[in-house]
Amino acid sequence: QQAIEVTGLRKTYAGGKKQEPKEALKGLDLSIPEGSIFGLLGPNGAGKSTLINILAGLVKKTDGRVVIWGFDQDVNPRQSRAAIGVMPQELNMDPFFTPRAALEMQAGLYGVPKSERWTDEILELVGLSDKAEAYARNLSGGMKRRLLLAKALVHRPQILVLDEPTAGVDIELRAMLWRNVRKLNEQGMTIILTTHYLEEAEEMCDEIAIINNGELIVRDTTPNLLKRMD
Ligand code: ADP
Ligand code: ADP
Protein backbone atom coordinates (compact mmCIF):
# COMPACT_ATOMS: atom_id res chain seq x y z
CA GLN A 1 0.00 0.00 0.00
CA GLN A 2 1.34 3.42 -1.02
CA ALA A 3 0.70 6.51 1.06
CA ILE A 4 1.58 8.73 -1.89
CA GLU A 5 1.73 8.00 -5.61
CA VAL A 6 2.97 10.70 -7.92
CA THR A 7 3.18 10.09 -11.68
CA GLY A 8 4.53 12.39 -14.36
CA LEU A 9 4.32 15.42 -12.09
CA ARG A 10 5.14 18.70 -13.78
CA LYS A 11 5.14 22.21 -12.43
CA THR A 12 6.01 25.29 -14.43
CA TYR A 13 5.84 28.63 -12.63
CA ALA A 14 4.43 31.18 -15.06
CA GLY A 15 7.09 33.88 -14.71
CA GLY A 16 6.35 37.55 -15.26
CA LYS A 17 7.41 40.62 -17.18
CA LYS A 18 11.09 40.25 -16.35
CA GLN A 19 11.08 36.65 -15.22
CA GLU A 20 11.38 33.56 -17.39
CA PRO A 21 8.91 30.73 -16.75
CA LYS A 22 10.51 28.14 -14.46
CA GLU A 23 10.08 24.42 -14.86
CA ALA A 24 10.41 23.35 -11.21
CA LEU A 25 9.27 19.71 -11.65
CA LYS A 26 9.91 17.85 -14.88
CA GLY A 27 7.73 14.78 -14.91
CA LEU A 28 8.46 13.34 -11.48
CA ASP A 29 7.46 9.76 -10.57
CA LEU A 30 7.54 8.89 -6.87
CA SER A 31 5.77 6.46 -4.60
CA ILE A 32 6.05 6.59 -0.83
CA PRO A 33 5.10 3.44 1.09
CA GLU A 34 2.60 3.56 3.92
CA GLY A 35 4.21 3.53 7.36
CA SER A 36 7.64 4.71 6.30
CA ILE A 37 9.80 7.62 7.34
CA PHE A 38 10.73 8.98 3.96
CA GLY A 39 13.42 11.59 3.29
CA LEU A 40 13.37 14.01 0.37
CA LEU A 41 16.84 15.37 -0.28
CA GLY A 42 18.30 17.73 -2.81
CA PRO A 43 20.08 21.06 -3.17
CA ASN A 44 18.38 24.44 -2.93
CA GLY A 45 16.09 25.02 -5.88
CA ALA A 46 15.74 21.30 -6.63
CA GLY A 47 11.95 21.38 -6.37
CA LYS A 48 11.38 19.90 -2.89
CA SER A 49 9.13 22.69 -1.64
CA THR A 50 7.20 22.71 -4.87
CA LEU A 51 6.55 18.98 -4.51
CA ILE A 52 5.49 19.33 -0.89
CA ASN A 53 3.24 22.29 -1.63
CA ILE A 54 1.54 20.34 -4.42
CA LEU A 55 1.02 17.34 -2.10
CA ALA A 56 -0.44 19.67 0.52
CA GLY A 57 -2.82 21.20 -2.02
CA LEU A 58 -1.20 24.63 -1.67
CA VAL A 59 0.29 24.85 -5.17
CA LYS A 60 -1.49 23.80 -8.36
CA LYS A 61 0.33 21.27 -10.50
CA THR A 62 0.78 21.88 -14.20
CA ASP A 63 0.41 18.23 -15.21
CA GLY A 64 0.58 14.70 -13.85
CA ARG A 65 -1.25 12.58 -11.30
CA VAL A 66 -1.14 12.82 -7.50
CA VAL A 67 -2.81 10.14 -5.38
CA ILE A 68 -2.79 10.59 -1.61
CA TRP A 69 -3.94 7.75 0.60
CA GLY A 70 -5.80 6.33 -2.37
CA PHE A 71 -7.52 9.61 -3.21
CA ASP A 72 -6.75 11.20 -6.56
CA GLN A 73 -6.22 14.91 -5.95
CA ASP A 74 -8.25 15.85 -9.03
CA VAL A 75 -11.16 13.56 -8.17
CA ASN A 76 -11.27 13.79 -4.35
CA PRO A 77 -9.47 17.01 -3.44
CA ARG A 78 -11.04 17.21 0.01
CA GLN A 79 -10.17 13.67 1.09
CA SER A 80 -6.66 13.87 -0.32
CA ARG A 81 -6.06 17.10 1.59
CA ALA A 82 -7.46 15.68 4.82
CA ALA A 83 -4.98 12.79 4.70
CA ILE A 84 -2.00 15.14 4.95
CA GLY A 85 -0.66 17.48 7.62
CA VAL A 86 2.22 19.83 6.87
CA MET A 87 4.68 21.41 9.24
CA PRO A 88 5.92 24.38 7.20
CA GLN A 89 9.26 26.12 7.50
CA GLU A 90 8.18 29.67 8.03
CA LEU A 91 7.41 30.82 11.55
CA ASN A 92 4.99 33.63 10.80
CA MET A 93 1.85 33.38 12.90
CA ASP A 94 -0.62 35.76 14.46
CA PRO A 95 1.23 37.36 17.44
CA PHE A 96 -1.93 37.56 19.56
CA PHE A 97 -2.94 33.94 19.15
CA THR A 98 -2.23 31.51 21.96
CA PRO A 99 -1.22 27.93 21.10
CA ARG A 100 -4.60 26.71 22.34
CA ALA A 101 -6.48 29.23 20.19
CA ALA A 102 -4.31 28.42 17.17
CA LEU A 103 -5.06 24.70 17.53
CA GLU A 104 -8.79 25.27 18.00
CA MET A 105 -8.82 27.54 14.95
CA GLN A 106 -7.00 24.91 12.89
CA ALA A 107 -9.48 22.25 14.07
CA GLY A 108 -12.30 24.52 12.93
CA LEU A 109 -10.68 24.96 9.52
CA TYR A 110 -10.51 21.20 9.07
CA GLY A 111 -14.01 20.67 10.41
CA VAL A 112 -12.88 18.51 13.34
CA PRO A 113 -15.93 18.11 15.63
CA LYS A 114 -15.48 19.34 19.21
CA SER A 115 -15.84 15.79 20.55
CA GLU A 116 -12.91 14.58 18.41
CA ARG A 117 -10.47 17.35 19.26
CA TRP A 118 -7.32 16.38 21.13
CA THR A 119 -5.86 19.80 21.82
CA ASP A 120 -4.49 19.02 25.28
CA GLU A 121 -2.86 15.80 24.15
CA ILE A 122 -1.16 17.55 21.22
CA LEU A 123 0.09 20.34 23.49
CA GLU A 124 1.47 17.69 25.82
CA LEU A 125 3.07 15.77 22.95
CA VAL A 126 5.02 18.78 21.69
CA GLY A 127 5.79 20.07 25.19
CA LEU A 128 3.70 23.23 25.07
CA SER A 129 1.19 22.47 27.83
CA ASP A 130 2.51 25.21 30.11
CA LYS A 131 2.46 27.72 27.23
CA ALA A 132 -1.06 26.91 26.10
CA GLU A 133 -2.34 30.36 27.02
CA ALA A 134 0.71 32.43 26.07
CA TYR A 135 0.59 34.87 23.16
CA ALA A 136 2.56 33.67 20.13
CA ARG A 137 4.65 36.86 20.22
CA ASN A 138 6.00 35.71 23.60
CA LEU A 139 7.01 32.28 22.33
CA SER A 140 10.61 31.49 21.42
CA GLY A 141 11.51 30.32 17.91
CA GLY A 142 11.69 26.76 19.16
CA MET A 143 8.26 26.97 20.74
CA LYS A 144 6.83 28.40 17.53
CA ARG A 145 8.23 25.43 15.64
CA ARG A 146 6.62 23.06 18.11
CA LEU A 147 3.35 24.89 17.60
CA LEU A 148 3.68 24.43 13.84
CA LEU A 149 4.12 20.69 14.41
CA ALA A 150 1.12 20.69 16.73
CA LYS A 151 -1.04 22.45 14.13
CA ALA A 152 -0.12 19.86 11.51
CA LEU A 153 -1.50 17.11 13.77
CA VAL A 154 -4.88 18.61 14.64
CA HIS A 155 -6.94 16.70 12.05
CA ARG A 156 -5.11 13.42 12.74
CA PRO A 157 -3.62 13.07 9.27
CA GLN A 158 -2.36 9.68 8.09
CA ILE A 159 0.64 11.41 6.51
CA LEU A 160 2.82 14.06 8.17
CA VAL A 161 5.09 16.22 6.03
CA LEU A 162 7.90 18.22 7.62
CA ASP A 163 9.67 20.82 5.50
CA GLU A 164 13.26 21.21 6.72
CA PRO A 165 12.19 20.65 10.32
CA THR A 166 15.70 20.95 11.73
CA ALA A 167 17.09 23.87 9.72
CA GLY A 168 18.57 26.32 12.22
CA VAL A 169 17.27 24.34 15.18
CA ASP A 170 19.27 23.69 18.36
CA ILE A 171 20.24 20.19 19.52
CA GLU A 172 17.56 19.97 22.17
CA LEU A 173 14.70 20.88 19.85
CA ARG A 174 16.08 18.60 17.16
CA ALA A 175 16.07 15.69 19.61
CA MET A 176 12.51 16.49 20.65
CA LEU A 177 11.38 16.65 17.03
CA TRP A 178 12.94 13.28 16.27
CA ARG A 179 11.38 11.72 19.36
CA ASN A 180 7.97 12.98 18.27
CA VAL A 181 8.48 11.85 14.70
CA ARG A 182 9.46 8.34 15.80
CA LYS A 183 6.55 8.14 18.21
CA LEU A 184 4.03 9.23 15.58
CA ASN A 185 5.53 6.80 13.10
CA GLU A 186 5.26 3.95 15.62
CA GLN A 187 1.59 4.86 15.97
CA GLY A 188 1.23 4.27 12.23
CA MET A 189 1.74 7.71 10.75
CA THR A 190 3.65 7.93 7.48
CA ILE A 191 6.33 10.62 7.71
CA ILE A 192 7.86 12.60 4.87
CA LEU A 193 10.59 15.12 5.56
CA THR A 194 12.89 17.29 3.53
CA THR A 195 16.41 17.95 4.65
CA HIS A 196 19.75 19.21 3.42
CA TYR A 197 21.59 16.85 5.73
CA LEU A 198 22.46 13.40 4.44
CA GLU A 199 23.53 12.17 7.89
CA GLU A 200 20.20 13.19 9.29
CA ALA A 201 18.34 11.30 6.57
CA GLU A 202 20.46 8.21 7.23
CA GLU A 203 19.73 8.34 10.90
CA MET A 204 16.01 8.99 10.62
CA CYS A 205 14.68 7.64 7.35
CA ASP A 206 13.90 4.15 6.04
CA GLU A 207 14.04 5.36 2.48
CA ILE A 208 15.14 8.44 0.63
CA ALA A 209 14.76 10.15 -2.72
CA ILE A 210 17.19 12.71 -4.04
CA ILE A 211 15.72 15.36 -6.30
CA ASN A 212 17.84 17.58 -8.49
CA ASN A 213 16.71 20.15 -11.00
CA GLY A 214 13.09 18.96 -10.92
CA GLU A 215 13.97 15.31 -11.48
CA LEU A 216 14.38 12.24 -9.31
CA ILE A 217 18.02 11.16 -9.46
CA VAL A 218 18.29 8.61 -6.63
CA ARG A 219 15.76 6.41 -4.88
CA ASP A 220 17.06 4.03 -2.25
CA THR A 221 16.83 2.64 1.25
CA THR A 222 19.17 4.31 3.72
CA PRO A 223 21.34 1.19 4.38
CA ASN A 224 22.05 1.03 0.65
CA LEU A 225 22.78 4.72 0.65
CA LEU A 226 25.55 4.13 3.18
CA LYS A 227 27.04 1.45 0.90
CA ARG A 228 26.92 3.84 -2.02
CA MET A 229 29.01 6.36 -0.12
CA ASP A 230 31.77 3.83 0.65
P1 ADP B 1 13.67 23.59 -3.08
O1 ADP B 1 12.55 23.51 -2.10
O2 ADP B 1 14.23 22.25 -3.43
O3 ADP B 1 14.73 24.56 -2.68
P2 ADP B 1 11.75 24.96 -4.74
O4 ADP B 1 10.64 24.01 -5.02
O5 ADP B 1 11.55 26.00 -3.71
O6 ADP B 1 13.07 24.13 -4.47
O7 ADP B 1 12.12 25.69 -6.09
C1 ADP B 1 12.32 25.01 -7.33
C2 ADP B 1 12.55 26.05 -8.42
O8 ADP B 1 11.33 26.77 -8.66
C3 ADP B 1 13.57 27.10 -8.04
O9 ADP B 1 14.27 27.46 -9.22
C4 ADP B 1 12.73 28.26 -7.54
O10 ADP B 1 13.37 29.49 -7.71
C5 ADP B 1 11.50 28.16 -8.41
N1 ADP B 1 10.30 28.65 -7.72
C6 ADP B 1 9.81 28.22 -6.54
N2 ADP B 1 8.69 28.87 -6.21
C7 ADP B 1 8.47 29.74 -7.22
C8 ADP B 1 7.45 30.71 -7.49
N3 ADP B 1 6.45 30.92 -6.64
N4 ADP B 1 7.54 31.41 -8.63
C9 ADP B 1 8.55 31.20 -9.49
N5 ADP B 1 9.53 30.32 -9.31
C10 ADP B 1 9.49 29.59 -8.19
P1 ADP C 1 12.77 26.80 0.17
O1 ADP C 1 13.94 27.15 1.01
O2 ADP C 1 11.73 25.99 0.87
O3 ADP C 1 13.10 26.25 -1.17
P2 ADP C 1 12.59 29.39 -0.91
O4 ADP C 1 13.33 30.23 0.07
O5 ADP C 1 13.24 28.90 -2.16
O6 ADP C 1 11.99 28.15 -0.11
O7 ADP C 1 11.25 30.12 -1.32
C1 ADP C 1 10.44 30.77 -0.38
C2 ADP C 1 9.18 31.25 -1.07
O8 ADP C 1 9.48 32.01 -2.24
C3 ADP C 1 8.30 30.10 -1.56
O9 ADP C 1 6.94 30.42 -1.31
C4 ADP C 1 8.55 30.00 -3.04
O10 ADP C 1 7.40 29.55 -3.73
C5 ADP C 1 8.89 31.44 -3.40
N1 ADP C 1 9.87 31.50 -4.48
C6 ADP C 1 11.03 30.79 -4.56
N2 ADP C 1 11.69 31.08 -5.70
C7 ADP C 1 10.92 32.00 -6.34
C8 ADP C 1 11.04 32.68 -7.57
N3 ADP C 1 12.08 32.50 -8.40
N4 ADP C 1 10.08 33.55 -7.90
C9 ADP C 1 9.04 33.76 -7.10
N5 ADP C 1 8.84 33.12 -5.93
C10 ADP C 1 9.78 32.26 -5.55
Side-chain angles (χ1 to χ4, degrees), residues 11-15 19-25 41-53 59 89 163-164 194 196 211 213-214:
K11 174 65 189 180
T12 305
Y13 290 105
Q19 205 180 9
E20 294 292 307
K22 173 73 199 179
E23 204 181 4
L25 296 174
L41 286 97
N44 258 326
K48 303 181 298 293
S49 297
T50 301
L51 173 60
I52 282 183
N53 287 334
V59 163
Q89 261 185 65
D163 193 4
E164 300 272 354
T194 67
H196 280 82
I211 296 176
N213 205 10

Short mmCIF file of all heavy atoms in Angstrom, two decimals, residues 11-15 19-25 41-53 59 89 163-164 194 196 211 213-214, ligand 1:
data_model
loop_
_atom_site.label_atom_id
_atom_site.label_comp_id
_atom_site.label_asym_id
_atom_site.label_seq_id
_atom_site.Cartn_x
_atom_site.Cartn_y
_atom_site.Cartn_z
N LYS A 11 5.55 20.88 -12.89
CA LYS A 11 5.14 22.21 -12.43
C LYS A 11 5.99 23.26 -13.13
O LYS A 11 7.22 23.23 -13.06
CB LYS A 11 5.31 22.35 -10.91
CG LYS A 11 5.05 23.74 -10.37
CD LYS A 11 3.59 24.16 -10.56
CE LYS A 11 3.38 25.63 -10.22
NZ LYS A 11 1.97 26.03 -10.40
N THR A 12 5.33 24.15 -13.83
CA THR A 12 6.01 25.29 -14.43
C THR A 12 5.43 26.56 -13.82
O THR A 12 4.22 26.79 -13.89
CB THR A 12 5.82 25.31 -15.96
OG1 THR A 12 6.25 24.05 -16.50
CG2 THR A 12 6.62 26.42 -16.60
N TYR A 13 6.29 27.33 -13.14
CA TYR A 13 5.84 28.63 -12.63
C TYR A 13 5.78 29.61 -13.81
O TYR A 13 6.70 29.62 -14.65
CB TYR A 13 6.79 29.15 -11.55
CG TYR A 13 6.73 28.36 -10.26
CD1 TYR A 13 7.74 27.47 -9.92
CD2 TYR A 13 5.66 28.50 -9.38
CE1 TYR A 13 7.69 26.74 -8.74
CE2 TYR A 13 5.60 27.78 -8.20
CZ TYR A 13 6.62 26.90 -7.89
OH TYR A 13 6.57 26.19 -6.72
N ALA A 14 4.72 30.40 -13.86
CA ALA A 14 4.43 31.18 -15.06
C ALA A 14 5.51 32.20 -15.41
O ALA A 14 5.74 32.48 -16.57
CB ALA A 14 3.09 31.88 -14.89
N GLY A 15 6.16 32.79 -14.41
CA GLY A 15 7.09 33.88 -14.71
C GLY A 15 6.31 35.17 -14.89
O GLY A 15 5.08 35.20 -14.79
N GLN A 19 10.66 37.95 -15.72
CA GLN A 19 11.08 36.65 -15.22
C GLN A 19 10.69 35.54 -16.20
O GLN A 19 9.55 35.48 -16.64
CB GLN A 19 10.42 36.40 -13.86
CG GLN A 19 11.19 35.44 -12.99
CD GLN A 19 10.49 35.22 -11.66
OE1 GLN A 19 9.36 35.65 -11.44
NE2 GLN A 19 11.17 34.52 -10.76
N GLU A 20 11.65 34.71 -16.53
CA GLU A 20 11.38 33.56 -17.39
C GLU A 20 10.47 32.58 -16.66
O GLU A 20 10.55 32.45 -15.44
CB GLU A 20 12.70 32.85 -17.72
CG GLU A 20 13.66 33.66 -18.57
CD GLU A 20 13.14 33.86 -19.97
OE1 GLU A 20 12.79 32.85 -20.61
OE2 GLU A 20 13.04 35.03 -20.41
N PRO A 21 9.62 31.84 -17.40
CA PRO A 21 8.91 30.73 -16.75
C PRO A 21 9.93 29.72 -16.21
O PRO A 21 11.01 29.58 -16.76
CB PRO A 21 8.11 30.10 -17.90
CG PRO A 21 8.07 31.12 -18.97
CD PRO A 21 9.30 31.98 -18.82
N LYS A 22 9.56 29.07 -15.09
CA LYS A 22 10.51 28.14 -14.46
C LYS A 22 9.89 26.75 -14.35
O LYS A 22 8.83 26.60 -13.74
CB LYS A 22 10.89 28.70 -13.07
CG LYS A 22 11.75 27.76 -12.24
CD LYS A 22 13.16 27.69 -12.74
CE LYS A 22 13.83 26.43 -12.19
NZ LYS A 22 15.22 26.28 -12.67
N GLU A 23 10.55 25.79 -14.95
CA GLU A 23 10.08 24.42 -14.86
C GLU A 23 10.67 23.80 -13.59
O GLU A 23 11.81 23.35 -13.58
CB GLU A 23 10.51 23.63 -16.10
CG GLU A 23 9.61 22.45 -16.38
CD GLU A 23 10.06 21.64 -17.60
OE1 GLU A 23 11.12 21.94 -18.19
OE2 GLU A 23 9.34 20.68 -17.93
N ALA A 24 9.89 23.79 -12.50
CA ALA A 24 10.41 23.35 -11.21
C ALA A 24 10.34 21.84 -11.04
O ALA A 24 11.17 21.26 -10.34
CB ALA A 24 9.65 24.04 -10.08
N LEU A 25 9.36 21.17 -11.66
CA LEU A 25 9.27 19.71 -11.65
C LEU A 25 9.06 19.23 -13.08
O LEU A 25 8.19 19.72 -13.79
CB LEU A 25 8.12 19.24 -10.74
CG LEU A 25 8.24 19.56 -9.25
CD1 LEU A 25 6.96 19.15 -8.51
CD2 LEU A 25 9.46 18.87 -8.63
N LEU A 41 15.62 14.58 -0.32
CA LEU A 41 16.84 15.37 -0.28
C LEU A 41 17.08 16.06 -1.62
O LEU A 41 16.52 15.66 -2.64
CB LEU A 41 18.05 14.48 0.03
CG LEU A 41 18.17 14.01 1.47
CD1 LEU A 41 17.59 12.63 1.64
CD2 LEU A 41 19.61 14.01 1.91
N GLY A 42 17.94 17.06 -1.58
CA GLY A 42 18.30 17.73 -2.81
C GLY A 42 18.75 19.14 -2.50
O GLY A 42 18.39 19.71 -1.48
N PRO A 43 19.56 19.71 -3.41
CA PRO A 43 20.08 21.06 -3.17
C PRO A 43 18.98 22.12 -3.23
O PRO A 43 17.87 21.83 -3.65
CB PRO A 43 21.07 21.25 -4.33
CG PRO A 43 20.64 20.30 -5.38
CD PRO A 43 20.01 19.14 -4.67
N ASN A 44 19.31 23.32 -2.82
CA ASN A 44 18.38 24.44 -2.93
C ASN A 44 17.92 24.60 -4.37
O ASN A 44 18.71 24.52 -5.29
CB ASN A 44 19.10 25.74 -2.52
CG ASN A 44 18.71 26.15 -1.12
OD1 ASN A 44 17.55 25.93 -0.72
ND2 ASN A 44 19.63 26.71 -0.40
N GLY A 45 16.62 24.81 -4.54
CA GLY A 45 16.09 25.02 -5.88
C GLY A 45 15.77 23.74 -6.63
O GLY A 45 15.38 23.77 -7.80
N ALA A 46 15.94 22.59 -5.97
CA ALA A 46 15.74 21.30 -6.63
C ALA A 46 14.27 21.03 -6.95
O ALA A 46 13.95 20.30 -7.89
CB ALA A 46 16.28 20.18 -5.75
N GLY A 47 13.37 21.60 -6.16
CA GLY A 47 11.95 21.38 -6.37
C GLY A 47 11.25 20.71 -5.20
O GLY A 47 10.08 20.34 -5.30
N LYS A 48 11.96 20.58 -4.07
CA LYS A 48 11.38 19.90 -2.89
C LYS A 48 10.14 20.63 -2.36
O LYS A 48 9.11 20.02 -2.12
CB LYS A 48 12.43 19.79 -1.77
CG LYS A 48 13.70 19.06 -2.17
CD LYS A 48 14.69 18.95 -1.02
CE LYS A 48 15.20 20.29 -0.49
NZ LYS A 48 16.04 21.06 -1.44
N SER A 49 10.27 21.93 -2.17
CA SER A 49 9.13 22.69 -1.64
C SER A 49 7.96 22.67 -2.60
O SER A 49 6.80 22.57 -2.18
CB SER A 49 9.52 24.15 -1.37
OG SER A 49 10.53 24.21 -0.41
N THR A 50 8.27 22.76 -3.87
CA THR A 50 7.20 22.71 -4.87
C THR A 50 6.45 21.40 -4.75
O THR A 50 5.21 21.38 -4.72
CB THR A 50 7.81 22.87 -6.29
OG1 THR A 50 8.49 24.13 -6.35
CG2 THR A 50 6.74 22.82 -7.36
N LEU A 51 7.18 20.30 -4.65
CA LEU A 51 6.55 18.98 -4.51
C LEU A 51 5.68 18.92 -3.26
O LEU A 51 4.51 18.52 -3.31
CB LEU A 51 7.63 17.89 -4.47
CG LEU A 51 7.15 16.47 -4.16
CD1 LEU A 51 6.14 15.99 -5.20
CD2 LEU A 51 8.34 15.50 -4.10
N ILE A 52 6.23 19.35 -2.14
CA ILE A 52 5.49 19.33 -0.89
C ILE A 52 4.24 20.20 -0.96
O ILE A 52 3.16 19.81 -0.52
CB ILE A 52 6.40 19.82 0.26
CG1 ILE A 52 7.34 18.69 0.65
CG2 ILE A 52 5.59 20.27 1.46
CD1 ILE A 52 8.21 19.06 1.80
N ASN A 53 4.39 21.38 -1.54
CA ASN A 53 3.24 22.29 -1.63
C ASN A 53 2.16 21.72 -2.54
O ASN A 53 0.97 21.96 -2.29
CB ASN A 53 3.70 23.66 -2.11
CG ASN A 53 4.46 24.42 -1.04
OD1 ASN A 53 4.27 24.18 0.15
ND2 ASN A 53 5.34 25.31 -1.45
N VAL A 59 -0.16 24.39 -3.86
CA VAL A 59 0.29 24.85 -5.17
C VAL A 59 -0.37 23.94 -6.21
O VAL A 59 -0.48 22.74 -6.01
CB VAL A 59 1.84 24.78 -5.27
CG1 VAL A 59 2.30 24.84 -6.71
CG2 VAL A 59 2.48 25.91 -4.48
N GLN A 89 8.00 25.57 7.01
CA GLN A 89 9.26 26.12 7.50
C GLN A 89 9.07 27.46 8.19
O GLN A 89 9.69 27.75 9.19
CB GLN A 89 10.16 26.38 6.29
CG GLN A 89 11.18 25.33 6.03
CD GLN A 89 12.07 25.78 4.90
OE1 GLN A 89 12.80 26.76 5.03
NE2 GLN A 89 12.01 25.08 3.79
N ASP A 163 8.80 20.14 6.45
CA ASP A 163 9.67 20.82 5.50
C ASP A 163 10.87 21.38 6.26
O ASP A 163 10.73 22.34 7.01
CB ASP A 163 8.88 21.94 4.79
CG ASP A 163 9.62 22.49 3.58
OD1 ASP A 163 10.70 21.96 3.24
OD2 ASP A 163 9.12 23.45 2.98
N GLU A 164 12.02 20.77 6.04
CA GLU A 164 13.26 21.21 6.72
C GLU A 164 13.04 21.44 8.22
O GLU A 164 13.33 22.53 8.72
CB GLU A 164 13.77 22.52 6.08
CG GLU A 164 14.08 22.42 4.62
CD GLU A 164 15.50 21.96 4.34
OE1 GLU A 164 16.30 21.82 5.29
OE2 GLU A 164 15.81 21.72 3.16
N THR A 194 11.82 16.82 4.40
CA THR A 194 12.89 17.29 3.53
C THR A 194 14.05 17.72 4.40
O THR A 194 13.86 18.16 5.54
CB THR A 194 12.47 18.51 2.67
OG1 THR A 194 12.26 19.63 3.51
CG2 THR A 194 11.20 18.23 1.90
N HIS A 196 18.51 19.01 4.16
CA HIS A 196 19.75 19.21 3.42
C HIS A 196 20.81 18.22 3.90
O HIS A 196 21.84 18.06 3.27
CB HIS A 196 20.31 20.61 3.71
CG HIS A 196 19.67 21.68 2.92
ND1 HIS A 196 18.48 22.24 3.29
CD2 HIS A 196 20.04 22.29 1.77
CE1 HIS A 196 18.14 23.17 2.40
NE2 HIS A 196 19.08 23.21 1.47
N ILE A 211 16.26 14.61 -5.18
CA ILE A 211 15.72 15.36 -6.30
C ILE A 211 16.75 16.40 -6.70
O ILE A 211 17.36 17.04 -5.85
CB ILE A 211 14.39 16.06 -5.91
CG1 ILE A 211 13.35 15.01 -5.57
CG2 ILE A 211 13.89 16.96 -7.03
CD1 ILE A 211 12.04 15.60 -5.08
N ASN A 213 17.16 19.49 -9.80
CA ASN A 213 16.71 20.15 -11.00
C ASN A 213 15.35 19.62 -11.49
O ASN A 213 15.15 19.39 -12.68
CB ASN A 213 17.79 19.95 -12.07
CG ASN A 213 17.74 21.03 -13.13
OD1 ASN A 213 17.03 22.02 -12.97
ND2 ASN A 213 18.46 20.83 -14.21
N GLY A 214 14.45 19.37 -10.55
CA GLY A 214 13.09 18.96 -10.92
C GLY A 214 12.94 17.51 -11.31
O GLY A 214 11.89 17.09 -11.77
P1 ADP B 1 13.67 23.59 -3.08
O1 ADP B 1 12.55 23.51 -2.10
O2 ADP B 1 14.23 22.25 -3.43
O3 ADP B 1 14.73 24.56 -2.68
P2 ADP B 1 11.75 24.96 -4.74
O4 ADP B 1 10.64 24.01 -5.02
O5 ADP B 1 11.55 26.00 -3.71
O6 ADP B 1 13.07 24.13 -4.47
O7 ADP B 1 12.12 25.69 -6.09
C1 ADP B 1 12.32 25.01 -7.33
C2 ADP B 1 12.55 26.05 -8.42
O8 ADP B 1 11.33 26.77 -8.66
C3 ADP B 1 13.57 27.10 -8.04
O9 ADP B 1 14.27 27.46 -9.22
C4 ADP B 1 12.73 28.26 -7.54
O10 ADP B 1 13.37 29.49 -7.71
C5 ADP B 1 11.50 28.16 -8.41
N1 ADP B 1 10.30 28.65 -7.72
C6 ADP B 1 9.81 28.22 -6.54
N2 ADP B 1 8.69 28.87 -6.21
C7 ADP B 1 8.47 29.74 -7.22
C8 ADP B 1 7.45 30.71 -7.49
N3 ADP B 1 6.45 30.92 -6.64
N4 ADP B 1 7.54 31.41 -8.63
C9 ADP B 1 8.55 31.20 -9.49
N5 ADP B 1 9.53 30.32 -9.31
C10 ADP B 1 9.49 29.59 -8.19
#
